[in-house]
């Protein structure tokens, strides 16, 4: 696959998802950036804004398998990873794979699951494998987790721990549509949902080729220094208890390469890094308690910090 073919395939994939998620082109682009960069995505928004639809539209636009898990407090880790079941015919235990054995996994309302169940996703998200009863089973590539959570619901939910949050490459929100786009959405769904008309535009091997191609997007030494300087600035910033991890810097590199690719460039520019800085790091840094009480947010501090760090 040459560059032109890769750019064309990526554009087809973006256009396919945008047919369903109208008025949110930048959000769709960020979702694809995360997917093609080989990361995992956390979508944090109120109900009814299209979080689940976005994940389904992406899955249907590819020839990849898709599974959805509705997270609840009574869900067990084995309900996600699978378990060994006794087979009376063979007098042995057979491994029954759980829904995590798929290409695209939608973990709906992830913060409703207990910490023990949430942790069952950690190994899979980082190492693309699942260990049950001491036996490790690899997951098929690509493997992409899209998790959703409602940020304004506080009863019956379990806050995601830092280790879990750090496994997500990006955290985004869709937000409400502008009135004119909401009218268009109503018209589009008058007779049937547009998602029912989606057909696959890329296959599994093509997705893997695109993910490999992204790693060859050129990144200059000055861009690498800029990425490291941004991450280091979060660790030294007086407002943060905890700054961005090295995994965050690597994620910023990979997503910047993916964004450049989606926009038809074979090289990363500083604006790619700047555009992804907040959605990539806002869930990896933590404000001091007295600042949170005052109403300040991580996004606001990161946005201001972005203007303070010079480009190398």
């Amino acid at each position: 696959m040459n560059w032109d073919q890769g750019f064309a395939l990526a554009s087809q994939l973006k256009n396919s998802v945008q047919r369903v998620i109208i008025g949110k082109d930048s959000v769709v682009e960020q979702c694809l950036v995360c997917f093609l960069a080989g990361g995992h995505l956390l979508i944090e928004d109120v109900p009814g804004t299209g979080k689940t639809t976005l994940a389904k539209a992406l899955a249907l636009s590819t020839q990849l398998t898709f599974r959805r898990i509705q997270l609840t407090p009574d869900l067990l880790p084995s309900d996600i990873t699978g378990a060994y079941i006794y087979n009376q015919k063979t007098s042995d235990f057979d491994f029954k794979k759980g829904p995590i054995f798929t290409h695209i996994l939608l973990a709906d309302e992830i913060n409703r699951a207990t910490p023990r169940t949430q942790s069952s996703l950690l190994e899979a998200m980082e190492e693309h494998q699942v260990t049950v009863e001491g036996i490790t089973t690899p997951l098929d590539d690509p493997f992409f987790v899209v998790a959703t959570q409602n940020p304004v619901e506080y009863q019956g939910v379990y806050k995601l721990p830092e280790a879990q949050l750090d496994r997500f490459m990006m955290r985004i929100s869709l937000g409400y549509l502008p009135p004119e786009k909401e009218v268009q959405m109503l018209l589009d769904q008058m007779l049937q949902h547009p998602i029912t008309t989606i057909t696959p535009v890329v296959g599994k091997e093509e997705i893997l080729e695109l993910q490999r191609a992204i790693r060859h997007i050129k990144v200059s030494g000055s861009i690498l220094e800029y990425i490291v300087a941004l991450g280091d600035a979060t660790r030294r910033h007086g407002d943060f208890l905890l700054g961005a991890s090295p995994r965050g810097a690597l994620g910023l590199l990979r997503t910047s390469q993916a964004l450049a690719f989606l926009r038809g460039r074979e090289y990363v520019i500083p604006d790619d890094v700047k555009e992804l800085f907040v959605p990539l790091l806002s869930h990896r840094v933590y404000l001091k308690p007295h600042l949170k009480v005052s109403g300040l947010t991580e996004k606001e501090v990161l946005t201001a910090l972005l203007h303070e760090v010079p480009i190398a």
Side-chain angles (χ1 to χ4, degrees):
M1 181 189 298
N2 59 39
W3 285 110
D4 290 338
Q5 290 173 326
F7 295 145
L9 279 176
S11 296
Q12 289 176 28
L13 181 57
K14 181 166 67 172
N15 292 337
S16 178
V17 179
Q18 285 174 344
R19 285 172 49 201
V20 177
I21 309 297
I22 61 170
K24 295 292 176 182
D25 292 355
S26 63
V27 171
V28 170
E29 188 174 57
Q30 288 177 346
C31 175
L32 292 179
V33 159
C34 190
F35 176 52
L36 295 177
H40 304 288
L41 182 66
L42 177 62
I43 308 178
E44 187 177 81
D45 218 325
V46 295
T49 52
K51 301 186 295 293
T52 302
T53 303
L54 175 60
K56 286 183 176 179
L58 175 61
L60 292 172
S61 298
T62 66
Q63 293 175 345
L64 300 177
T65 57
F66 172 72
R67 299 290 296 273
R68 177 180 182 270
I69 308 173
Q70 183 63 52
L71 279 297
T72 56
D74 61 346
L75 202 71
L76 299 175
S78 59
D79 294 326
I80 296 176
T81 61
Y84 281 90
I85 308 296
Y86 183 71
N87 187 326
Q88 291 184 337
K89 292 182 179 180
T90 62
S91 298
D92 204 353
F93 286 89
D94 297 331
F95 182 53
K96 184 179 179 182
K97 292 182 177 180
I100 202 169
F101 287 88
T102 186
H103 292 124
I104 299 178
L105 176 70
L106 173 60
D108 224 352
E109 296 184 303
I110 189 172
N111 54 339
R112 282 192 170 278
T114 62
R116 182 183 174 210
T117 302
Q118 289 176 14
S119 66
S120 66
L121 291 168
L122 290 176
E123 180 186 15
M125 292 173 70
E126 182 64 19
E127 301 176 45
H128 288 207
Q129 64 183 31
V130 171
T131 301
V132 178
E133 302 291 340
I135 300 175
T136 299
T137 306
L139 295 168
D140 195 17
D141 287 327
F143 177 63
F144 182 48
V145 175
V146 181
T148 71
Q149 67 175 6
N150 180 355
V152 297
E153 196 167 26
Y154 300 106
Q155 293 186 344
V157 298
Y158 301 86
K159 183 181 178 182
L160 295 180
E162 288 80 0
Q164 181 76 60
L165 282 171
D166 202 40
R167 294 302 197 281
F168 289 101
M169 185 173 278
M170 294 176 65
R171 180 178 68 178
I172 64 173
S173 62
L174 280 80
Y176 293 114
L177 287 170
E180 65 276 8
K181 292 296 183 181
E182 194 162 355
V183 170
Q184 182 183 338
M185 180 202 71
L186 296 178
L187 290 172
D188 289 345
Q189 297 188 30
M190 189 77 73
L191 298 178
Q192 64 177 351
H193 199 294
I195 203 168
T196 61
T197 65
I198 288 184
T199 55
V201 295
V202 292
K204 171 187 170 182
E205 293 306 319
E206 291 170 322
I207 290 292
L208 292 173
E209 280 194 60
L210 290 176
Q211 290 182 336
R212 288 192 290 267
I214 281 167
R215 300 207 170 196
H216 294 282
I217 295 292
K218 297 180 181 67
V219 185
S220 68
S222 60
I223 294 290
L224 291 175
E225 291 174 6
Y226 182 50
I227 290 172
V228 171
L230 286 170
D232 184 60
T234 66
R235 299 165 200 152
R236 293 185 290 102
H237 200 286
D239 290 347
F240 291 132
L241 276 174
L242 181 66
S245 67
R247 186 188 283 122
L250 181 59
L252 191 52
L253 167 63
R254 295 292 183 221
T255 52
S256 296
Q257 288 176 298
L259 183 59
F261 184 85
L262 278 176
R263 293 182 176 175
R265 276 185 278 105
E266 297 181 30
Y267 54 90
V268 173
I269 61 175
D271 284 347
D272 297 327
V273 179
K274 289 180 179 180
E275 189 169 333
L276 295 166
F277 178 66
V278 174
L280 200 108
L281 296 183
S282 64
H283 60 293
R284 303 173 192 268
V285 296
Y286 296 89
L287 285 175
K288 292 180 177 178
H290 71 278
L291 295 174
K292 273 190 167 294
V293 172
S294 70
L296 193 65
T297 67
E298 288 85 358
K299 289 182 179 180
E300 290 171 338
V301 177
L302 287 174
T303 301
L305 187 149
L306 192 59
H307 297 294
E308 298 170 7
V309 179
I311 300 171

